[in-house]
Amino acid sequence: METELKNLNHNNSNQYNQEQIDNGKKPLLKSDSQSSDQETTQKQLTAAELEEMEKKFAAYVRHDIYGPMGCGEVPVKEKVLLGAAMLTLLPLRVLVGMSILVLYYLICKICTLFSTPYRPGEGEDQQLQGYGHLVGWRREIIVRCGRFLSRALLFTLGFYWISQTSRIYDHEKLIDQSDSRDQLEKSERPGVIISNHASYLDILYHMSFSFSSFVAKRSVGKLPLVGLMSKCLGCVYVQREDKSSDFKGVSGVVTERIKEAHENSDAPLMLIFPEGTTTNGNFLLPFKTGAFIAGAPVLPVILRYPYRRFSPAWDSISGVRHVILLLCQYVNYMEVMRLPVYYPSKEEKDDPKLYASNIRKLMADEGNLILSDIGLPEKRIYHAALNGFLCER
């Protein structure tokens, strides 16, 4: 896009110079007004191209008061509110939030004393090591404190109340639908929670609700404070660059964990974000099939973040800026819709793509989400375009 704009402006400039030469007026210097007009045209063209990209990459476009990447012009009233929050609310929330993290770290440290990380087999220790399979009082304390403190951390971030609804099938409406009636009669434990992905805050909510495991980079397990917590969650650590013969890959490890969670009530549930990246919360990207290969029942959960000033969705904004603006927002909102456990048919068990597609359509219909065909590559293109546009301003 930037190349096309440069070529267009270069051609316009050449055409203008050629006309001047033909008229016998070869300019040595451009006047200030001519330079200003050309710069205005450049910005208008860039803005027009950006508008077209926003239509194409609508799933990543921010619509809050702070504009693209949180760098837009804001009203004077918003600047005053933001300044007041930075002086009062921001340091208070940072202090309380860090205290909660340190407290839970100490709880995890005490509960894992004299315990070794879970290692199921040779070659898999780097992917599955953790304390997710602890039992007895240790596991009970880790889970209960983890759920409570996760909700306390959300409260500290301004999520004072969370609207939660559970979708229930209507027996009378489903009386002629044998497949749905069969689902009502089943009571098997789901092996995985399937959730849309709008923000890193999604993980905090799911920790407070189900304390489920999720897929994380191997480096997360080595981070201060967070590393031990992720091991207590029983996270699956992966590193895509690992090409050793014993490496099963993300999909294989996740499939095993989902089957185990489905068959063993003591095993932690898996949490999967099949979109693979975050959106602005109004769209649903194509699902990856890794969570559906096991053919186990799934629990679909839909998260939304209504807002008035700043959107908590982490779509096209830097992490540091997002955290600061989130901490400076006086009240944040979250809406959660839990759908009934979905039991796959034989056809869906045999075809993970069909299974994933049906769950995606179900979540889109129930959550009033828009289906989108773009993914992470398009998100990177949009981010690069935004960076270029803002740098030129």
Side-chain angles (χ1 to χ4, degrees):
M1 182 187 73
E2 294 178 1
T3 304
E4 293 176 356
L5 291 175
K6 290 179 180 178
N7 292 337
L8 180 59
N9 288 314
H10 180 68
N11 293 336
N12 289 338
S13 178
N14 289 342
Q15 184 178 0
Y16 172 80
N17 291 335
Q18 186 62 40
E19 289 177 358
Q20 295 294 319
I21 293 172
D22 292 341
N23 294 331
K25 300 177 181 178
K26 185 175 180 180
L28 296 178
L29 294 174
K30 295 180 181 178
S31 66
D32 292 339
S33 61
Q34 290 175 342
S35 178
S36 177
D37 290 344
Q38 190 171 18
E39 289 178 2
T40 302
T41 303
Q42 169 76 16
K43 289 184 178 181
Q44 288 175 348
L45 288 171
T46 305
E49 290 289 336
L50 183 64
E51 185 176 352
E52 286 297 319
M53 294 195 72
E54 288 181 343
K55 294 178 181 178
K56 184 177 180 181
F57 305 137
Y60 308 123
V61 178
R62 295 188 69 82
H63 301 286
D64 62 11
I65 196 172
Y66 289 92
M69 301 190 76
C71 299
E73 290 292 332
V74 296
V76 176
K77 179 181 178 181
E78 182 63 26
K79 291 180 179 179
V80 173
L81 291 173
L82 183 60
M86 282 188 172
L87 294 175
T88 57
L89 202 57
L90 177 62
L92 178 62
R93 283 179 169 175
V94 170
L95 178 62
V96 176
M98 288 302 299
S99 298
I100 292 174
L101 289 177
V102 171
L103 174 60
Y104 189 54
Y105 171 80
L106 293 176
I107 292 173
C108 292
K109 192 70 175 178
I110 294 173
C111 290
T112 55
L113 285 176
F114 311 112
S115 300
T116 55
Y118 173 72
R119 292 185 172 89
E122 191 174 335
E124 294 181 340
D125 54 324
Q126 295 299 319
Q127 297 153 311
L128 296 176
Q129 64 174 350
Y131 300 96
H133 292 265
L134 288 177
V135 293
W137 65 270
R138 296 171 183 262
R139 180 65 181 172
E140 190 72 14
I141 292 177
I142 288 175
V143 172
R144 287 185 178 274
C145 291
R147 294 180 63 178
F148 175 79
L149 293 177
S150 296
R151 183 63 187 92
L153 187 54
L154 283 173
F155 186 89
T156 302
L157 296 176
F159 294 92
Y160 304 123
W161 55 86
I162 299 177
S163 174
Q164 303 185 68
T165 58
S166 297
R167 184 76 163 81
I168 301 176
Y169 286 123
D170 190 328
H171 289 262
E172 295 181 359
K173 290 183 179 180
L174 300 178
I175 192 169
D176 295 327
Q177 301 179 18
S178 57
D179 291 342
S180 298
R181 190 168 59 249
D182 290 342
Q183 290 199 15
L184 288 171
E185 295 173 356
K186 296 179 181 179
S187 59
E188 296 180 12
R189 184 177 189 254
V192 59
I193 296 173
I194 299 297
S195 175
N196 66 316
H197 203 11
S199 176
Y200 51 82
L201 299 165
D202 301 345
I203 296 176
L204 275 179
Y205 169 75
H206 286 291
M207 283 182 63
S208 68
F209 168 62
S210 60
F211 204 76
S212 46
S213 307
F214 57 92
V215 177
K217 293 181 180 179
R218 188 181 299 177
S219 58
V220 173
K222 301 178 182 179
L223 293 175
L225 301 180
V226 178
L228 179 60
M229 298 177 198
S230 65
K231 290 180 180 180
C232 289
L233 273 167
C235 290
V236 176
Y237 298 111
V238 296
Q239 184 170 323
R240 293 185 179 93
E241 294 77 11
D242 196 335
K243 302 297 182 182
S244 62
S245 58
D246 293 328
F247 184 75
K248 290 188 175 184
V250 179
S251 181
V253 175
V254 169
T255 299
E256 285 189 358
R257 287 290 299 271
I258 291 175
K259 288 181 177 178
E260 183 181 5
H262 172 51
E263 297 169 357
N264 182 7
S265 59
D266 293 329
L269 281 174
M270 282 296 298
L271 166 65
I272 300 293
F273 301 107
E275 295 171 283
T277 188
T278 55
T279 68
N280 58 19
N282 299 321
F283 291 79
L284 206 57
L285 306 181
F287 279 7
K288 301 182 185 302
T289 59
F292 305 94
I293 296 176
V298 303
L299 175 62
V301 178
I302 303 168
L303 304 180
R304 301 289 292 264
Y305 295 91
Y307 62 90
R308 295 178 181 175
R309 296 164 51 225
F310 173 75
S311 171
W314 190 30
D315 35 37
S316 54
I317 181 173
S318 69
V320 174
R321 184 179 293 272
H322 187 277
V323 171
I324 292 175
L325 292 177
L326 180 75
L327 291 172
C328 290
Q329 183 153 253
Y330 294 89
V331 181
N332 289 297
Y333 303 91
M334 181 188 299
E335 294 178 352
V336 182
M337 176 183 290
R338 289 192 289 272
L339 304 182
V341 176
Y342 188 98
Y343 301 92
S345 64
K346 184 180 183 305
E347 291 77 11
E348 290 171 328
K349 290 181 179 180
D350 296 337
D351 187 354
K353 289 185 178 180
L354 175 64
Y355 192 3
S357 177
N358 289 344
I359 293 295
R360 180 172 177 248
K361 291 177 181 176
L362 174 67
M363 293 177 66
D365 291 340
E366 297 291 344
N368 195 26
L369 301 174
I370 303 172
L371 295 177
S372 175
D373 295 329
I374 60 178
L376 183 57
E378 289 80 5
K379 186 176 186 178
R380 289 171 176 166
I381 293 174
Y382 179 59
H383 281 192
L386 280 180
N387 286 322
F389 174 74
L390 293 175
C391 288
E392 292 175 359
R393 293 177 60 181

